[in-house]
Each structure stands twice: as C-alpha cells, then as structure tokens.
C-alpha cells in the first residue's frame, strides 16, 4: 500500500462518494470536523485505510473494542468501497449499522470483503464498535 500522505484538494475522495477529498472525508481525517452520520464515519474510515492513517482509525474506534495498536498491511491496496445498506446512524440517532463491501488487492490477488459494521454516537462523535450482524 502506498499511503496518500498529501492528497490534492481536487482529487476525488477514495470512499467513492464522487466528491473531492477535502469536501468529503478530508475534513474528518484532518480533525476539522466529526463525521455527522455512521455512513460518513464508515466512508472516512475506509479512506483512512486507503491512506494508511492508523491514528484516525484508532481515534474513531469505540474504547471498549479498540485494539491497543493497529498495524496496517503494506501489501494491501484498497480499490473501492460500496455501501450496500444502512440502518439508523443519522445525526440524531444513538447507534447505527452500515453494510459495505470493500474491494482490495493483496499480494497481487484481487479480493473483496463484506461487513456489517456497528456504530455508536458518544458525546456527538460517531465511533466504530465492531463488525456483527443486524438485529
């Protein structure tokens, strides 16, 4: 993986929103704002994986489930994100679920992973809790 350490203000955001990085996930990764919804947090966390930003991933992980450290695989290249569903997770909700598929290349082989991620809003900040099932 080649981290994007200095993204251009005109490059498209890696989360596939169609918006430019700074208007999309960049403001969250730069610490200028918190993601207002669980989907926005999911997109920004995917972008952090693309950019190799383990600090952001840890800071947006609920303290009850967060690992002490996170080492990202330098052989993993993230190729695209597709949000397939979401439940709750809006600006006034306390929790939410986001279902997504992330496509990647690892050691030259393409693959994808589908996950149902649970999020919770704690003191106006959305946090990733864990992967799990809906319900």
């Amino acid at each position: 993986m080649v981290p994007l350490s200095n993204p251009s203000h005109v490059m498209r955001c890696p989360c596939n929103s169609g918006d430019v990085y700074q208007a999309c996930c960049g403001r969250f990764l730069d610490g200028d704002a918190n993601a207002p919804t669980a989907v926005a947090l999911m997109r920004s966390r995917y972008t952090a994986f693309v950019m190799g930003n383990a600090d952001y991933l840890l800071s947006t992980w609920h303290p009850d489930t967060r690992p002490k450290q996170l080492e990202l695989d330098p052989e993993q290249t993230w190729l695209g994100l597709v949000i397939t569903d979401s439940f709750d997770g809006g600006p006034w909700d306390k929790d939410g679920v986001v279902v997504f598929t992330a496509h990647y290349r690892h050691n030259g082989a393409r693959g994808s992973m589908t996950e149902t991620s649970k999020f919770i809003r704690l003191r106006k900040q959305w946090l990733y809790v864990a992967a799990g099932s809906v319900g």
Side-chain angles (χ1 to χ4, degrees):
M1 170 177 62
V2 178
L4 302 172
S5 59
N6 190 14
S8 165
H9 289 286
V10 296
M11 86 169 205
R12 292 286 171 208
C13 193
C15 78
N16 292 337
S17 68
D19 211 344
V20 295
Y21 172 77
Q22 276 310 123
C24 191
C25 296
R27 58 199 168 123
F28 308 134
L29 274 76
D30 291 346
D32 296 333
N34 288 329
T37 65
V39 169
L41 181 61
M42 180 61 244
R43 289 185 176 283
S44 69
R45 286 177 56 83
Y46 171 83
T47 297
F49 274 105
V50 170
M51 300 176 78
N53 189 337
D55 289 341
Y56 181 79
L57 293 166
L58 289 170
S59 74
T60 58
W61 206 316
H62 193 280
D64 290 347
T65 58
R66 177 178 49 222
K68 291 185 195 284
Q69 60 184 3
L70 182 64
E71 290 187 38
L72 301 177
D73 186 344
E75 300 302 317
Q76 187 104 5
T77 302
W78 295 98
L79 304 173
L81 175 68
V82 179
I83 304 286
T84 55
D85 212 347
S86 65
F87 308 93
D88 299 324
W92 310 115
D93 293 320
K94 293 182 180 176
D95 54 28
V97 173
V98 179
V99 183
F100 68 92
T101 299
H103 301 278
Y104 61 86
R105 182 178 302 126
H106 188 260
N107 292 325
R110 287 182 177 257
S112 64
M113 61 168 280
T114 299
E115 182 175 298
T116 301
S117 292
K118 294 182 180 184
F119 296 87
I120 190 167
R121 191 166 54 93
L122 187 63
R123 292 185 291 280
K124 299 183 182 182
Q125 181 183 8
W126 281 103
L127 298 170
Y128 170 77
V129 177
S133 59
V134 177

